[in-house]
Amino acid sequence: MHTVESGDAVTTLDQLAERVAVHRIDVVCITDHNHLAGTPEGLSRAIGARAVLGEEIRTRSGELIGLFLTERVPYVLPAREVVELIRAQGGIVCAPHPYDPLRAGVGADLDAMCDAGLIDAVEVFNAKIADPEHNRAAVRTARAYGLPGTVGSDAHDPQGVGAAYLELPDFDGPKSFLDALHEAEHRGEYRPHAPRYTPGPPAASRPGRDLGSRGRSSGSA
């Protein structure tokens, strides 16, 4: 999920803490776009749950997620270089929404990247994908390469938090997290982004505007 640090998201840490309490979430993976949101310790104190610090990184092949990061990874680098920078920190590499045509996943290169051992996990359910076939394609790829699956709420607003989650054994770092993913149960539902703005009243009903006086009907406004 994302916070206001992503630039395209609106969720503050206070709002995230509220949603964590409501949904009784134990662990949150915060993966802001091309940005590290803080430290795991600081984020955990702020939201009242364990935080895994990550980054959603734009590469030349599409977006990748690095989890368990300690340093920001630059964007628009070749995908292989991004993978090396993630793993140099002891992090793991996940391919988010790989086949969603509306977002820049690495779907076109995913098979080659899996063959080369560059992917640790594939996001098999993304709550912002309306067509379930795009998620099912990710499931098939993960199974074909014996990779564990992740799920993502891809929340950019408080209402999206909790739309997708994993029930899995406890873990204490990247390796045990990957092991736990193989035993995880996936939970999720499609939940589109919340509207950014609340629509106002129709133009004809706003005070001080009489379209009829201009010889136009309200229906043509």
Side-chain angles (χ1 to χ4, degrees), residues 80 87 109-119 141 144-145 147:
R80 182 178 290 271
R87 290 181 171 169
D109 296 327
L110 184 56
D111 282 321
M113 295 178 72
C114 290
D115 274 331
L118 300 177
I119 302 295
T141 297
Y145 291 96
L147 295 173

Side-chain angles (χ1 to χ4, degrees), residues 32-171:
D32 284 322
H33 293 283
N34 308 306
H35 177 83
L36 281 191
T39 65
E41 298 77 16
L43 291 168
S44 296
R45 288 192 298 270
I47 67 174
R50 188 179 359 164
V52 171
L53 185 56
E55 180 185 354
E56 188 164 5
I57 308 151
R58 181 157 51 97
T59 80
R60 293 181 188 173
S61 299
E63 291 182 327
L64 292 173
I65 283 178
L67 293 175
F68 298 93
L69 299 184
T70 57
E71 297 180 4
R72 176 181 172 271
V73 176
Y75 62 94
V76 202
L77 295 174
R80 182 178 290 271
E81 187 174 345
V82 168
V83 171
E84 291 173 353
L85 290 171
I86 291 171
R87 290 181 171 169
Q89 303 179 45
I92 64 174
V93 181
C94 175
H97 47 72
Y99 299 113
D100 182 1
L102 300 179
R103 281 174 292 177
V106 295
D109 296 327
L110 184 56
D111 282 321
M113 295 178 72
C114 290
D115 274 331
L118 300 177
I119 302 295
D120 299 312
V122 176
E123 185 181 70
V124 296
F125 181 86
N126 182 291
K128 295 298 179 285
I129 293 179
D131 185 348
E133 178 54 31
H134 302 317
N135 283 323
R136 287 194 288 263
V139 172
R140 291 192 291 269
T141 297
R143 288 175 176 170
Y145 291 96
L147 295 173
T150 66
V151 305
S153 67
D154 210 344
H156 288 64
D157 48 66
Q159 297 91 324
V161 177
Y165 60 93
L166 296 170
E167 294 181 355
L168 75 170
D170 197 9
F171 58 91

Side-chain angles (χ1 to χ4, degrees), residues 187-210:
R187 302 281 187 263
E189 64 180 23
Y190 171 63
R191 193 178 300 176
H193 294 292
R196 287 291 184 92
Y197 305 101
T198 302
S205 66
R206 294 174 189 161
R209 188 177 184 191
D210 182 4

